Every structure is written in C-alpha cells, then in structure tokens.
Amino acid sequence: MKRLLTLLMALAMTASLAACGGTGSSGDTADSGNSGTAADGGETAGSSGVEDGVLTIAMECAYAPYNWSQSDDSNGAVPISNVPGTYANGYDVMIAKQICEANGWELEVVQSDWDSLVPGVQTGTFDAVIAGQSMTAERSEQVDFAGPYYYASIVCVTKADSPYANAAGISDLSGGTCTAQIATIWYDSCLPQIEGAQVQTAAETAPAMLMALETDAVDFICTDMPTAMGAVAAYPDMKILDFTDSDDNFEVDEGEINIGISVMKGNTELKDAIDSVLSTMTVDDFNTLMNEAIAIQPLSE
C-alpha cells in the first residue's frame, strides 16, 4: 500500500490543480521538481515506484465514464484500497488493467480528490494518475505524461428541448446561463470564449455539473466528449452540441484535448513502461474501450 491519507487531506486543502481539461489554479504550489525523497511509504524521485510489483494509481472514482465507484466487482471492477467494500471501474480502470497485465504488475486503485492528484504524484504517494487528465503545458511542468490514452474534443451539453438545442456554434449560446467543473479549461478558458454567456459558479464535480443542467439551474454546460457521451447515456433528455466542424468553435490547443497518464517528473522508467503498452493501441482501440465504459456506467443502467 502506497498511500498517505493524512498527506492527501493536507494537500487537498492547500493545493489546487487544473481539472480534466484544465489549467492549474493559482493555489497550486506543490513542488514541480524531481528532487528529494518522497514522504514515508512513497517512492523516491529516482525510483520507478513499481519495484514491489504493484502499480498504485489514483483517480476520483466519481468521473464517469472515465472512472466511478460501485458496490461490487461486476464488469471487471477492482477494489478501491482506501475505501473498503467499494470498487472502481470505468475507462481509466480498463486502461490500467491492460498496462498492468502487459508489465506483470498488480493494480492498486486509490480514491483521491481532484486537487490531490498531481501533488500525490509529485510526492510519491501514488505512482501514477489515470483520471482523465489533459496533457496541458502547465500541468506538464509539474508532472511527466505517458500517452495520450484518449483524444477528447471540447463540447457543450444542453437539454433537447432547450432554446439552445439547435446552436450551430458558440456564438449561438450567447445569453445562456452555463457552468462547468471547477478548475478546468472548460470553466476557466472555454466558457469565457462565449460572448454574452452568463457563467455561473463552477460545479465542484462532474456529477454536480450534470445535475445543474438536469435540474435547469443552467441552460448548458461545457465538458469533453467522453463526459458528454456518458451524460446523454445517463440522461436521455440531454443533447450534445459539437462544434468541431464549425469555424465558430472553442479555441484549444492539442494538449488540452489529449488525455494522458501522469507520473513523477523524471520517472522515465515508469513512463516508458506505460508508453510501451499505449503505443500498441490505436484510436479505434481507445474508442472501443470508451464505448464499453459508457455502456456499463451505473447511471446508464
């Protein structure tokens, strides 16, 4: 077991990082270097972290279809080591299992709040984060990334009967109330690009973001395509607004739509071992797994 719950709680209170598609917030002060020794129980900066044959990864376990928690091991779910009696599943778990199988490792999943993910990698509390993280330039200054292991375009989601349901570009969303998950590029970068949008308080989690739309607290939300696909599977009254083929679309860079696996800065041994598996997978392979995750996510039953 390579977790320090006390450390994670402290870091969650003092550090903040960008969310799934996001940029880091001003509160993210964790050391981005690769010096010193990790806290007791974690790896040192010069180790791979898997010398014990166990890959310890962290995720929110609350971000379907990337990851979620459930009460049993159905559909290949694995135990969450720091939440007894609870299991993790989703696209991230599926990818992690393939990586571990190829490298002969056991898999340990730790539940961690979003703001604790990067600090936990930096301190060696866990070996890697597989949690739908975008490979942004700012985040890449703090951790190294293997991957991508998915390519996620930015979209909006609204109700099918919304006055914005036929929007052909982001300019058609002007005047609407909207939100996205806190500390994400969806909230910090994309929503401000919609001129005249009435941006509401950010949602603490992806489920809270979806609930804001479902309860009509907002007219639309901004998220990535996998989250949107999971949303419409769970809530049939929602509709995806994809402006990818329009000139009237969000401006994002490649790192903001490439989803990667973060490891400690300088941990080339672990990064290369993960990349050796991901490099054998195609976009079709990724999409097939994501579609499977969407099909089995709890809310879609």
Side-chain angles (χ1 to χ4, degrees):
M1 297 288 200
K2 287 172 283 187
R3 61 186 187 276
L4 289 174
L5 296 181
T6 302
L7 175 61
L8 281 175
M9 292 175 63
L11 287 168
M13 295 173 61
T14 59
S16 168
L17 77 107
C20 315
T23 57
S25 70
S26 60
D28 194 345
T29 58
D31 179 26
S32 62
N34 182 30
S35 60
T37 301
D40 241 0
E43 68 261 25
T44 62
S47 69
S48 70
V50 291
E51 290 84 0
D52 58 355
V54 179
L55 177 67
T56 300
I57 66 170
M59 59 185 65
E60 288 180 284
C61 300
Y63 179 33
Y66 286 102
N67 55 76
W68 64 79
S69 61
Q70 58 188 64
S71 60
D72 56 40
D73 62 357
S74 61
N75 297 315
V78 301
I80 302 174
S81 65
N82 61 330
V83 188
T86 307
Y87 298 79
N89 210 342
Y91 181 74
D92 294 330
V93 175
M94 296 172 181
I95 289 290
K97 289 168 70 174
Q98 293 203 18
I99 291 169
C100 286
E101 182 178 355
N103 286 285
W105 300 329
E106 294 181 20
L107 175 62
E108 179 187 18
V109 174
V110 174
Q111 187 281 327
S112 181
D113 292 340
W114 183 262
D115 285 351
S116 300
L117 294 176
V118 162
V121 168
Q122 292 177 310
T123 58
T125 304
F126 27 77
D127 304 321
V129 166
I130 309 182
Q133 286 182 317
S134 295
M135 303 168 68
T136 62
E138 184 170 352
R139 187 175 289 131
S140 295
E141 294 176 355
Q142 302 170 315
V143 295
D144 286 340
F145 276 105
Y149 73 104
Y150 200 77
Y151 306 89
S153 56
I154 308 298
V155 299
C156 288
V157 181
T158 190
K159 290 284 195 70
D161 60 357
S162 163
Y164 299 94
N166 296 317
I170 63 174
S171 60
D172 292 334
L173 300 175
S174 180
T177 57
C178 54
T179 192
Q181 187 176 1
I182 193 171
T184 65
I185 65 159
W186 315 331
Y187 190 83
D188 296 334
S189 176
C190 293
L191 288 181
Q193 295 180 38
I194 305 173
E195 187 174 354
Q198 301 179 51
V199 181
Q200 307 298 299
T201 303
E204 290 292 332
T205 64
M209 171 184 67
L210 297 177
M211 190 53 59
L213 177 59
E214 179 64 13
T215 58
D216 299 317
V218 295
D219 295 316
F220 61 89
I221 59 173
C222 182
T223 186
D224 66 5
M225 181 59 85
T227 308
M229 292 168 63
V232 299
Y235 302 99
D237 58 343
M238 293 185 183
K239 177 183 179 180
I240 297 174
L241 302 175
D242 183 4
F243 308 131
T244 302
D245 296 327
S246 168
D247 292 334
D248 187 17
N249 193 17
F250 297 112
E251 294 184 5
V252 295
D253 62 40
E254 185 175 350
E256 292 170 332
I257 60 175
N258 290 348
I259 309 300
I261 297 173
S262 59
V263 301
M264 182 183 285
K265 268 288 184 185
N267 192 348
T268 56
E269 183 177 347
L270 180 56
K271 178 183 180 300
D272 291 347
I274 295 173
D275 275 331
S276 70
V277 180
L278 298 180
S279 64
T280 67
M281 302 178 71
T282 66
V283 172
D284 286 343
D285 292 331
F286 296 147
N287 289 336
T288 296
L289 279 182
M290 182 61 79
N291 289 337
E292 181 181 344
I294 291 169
I296 66 172
Q297 64 175 344
L299 285 177
S300 65
E301 296 178 354

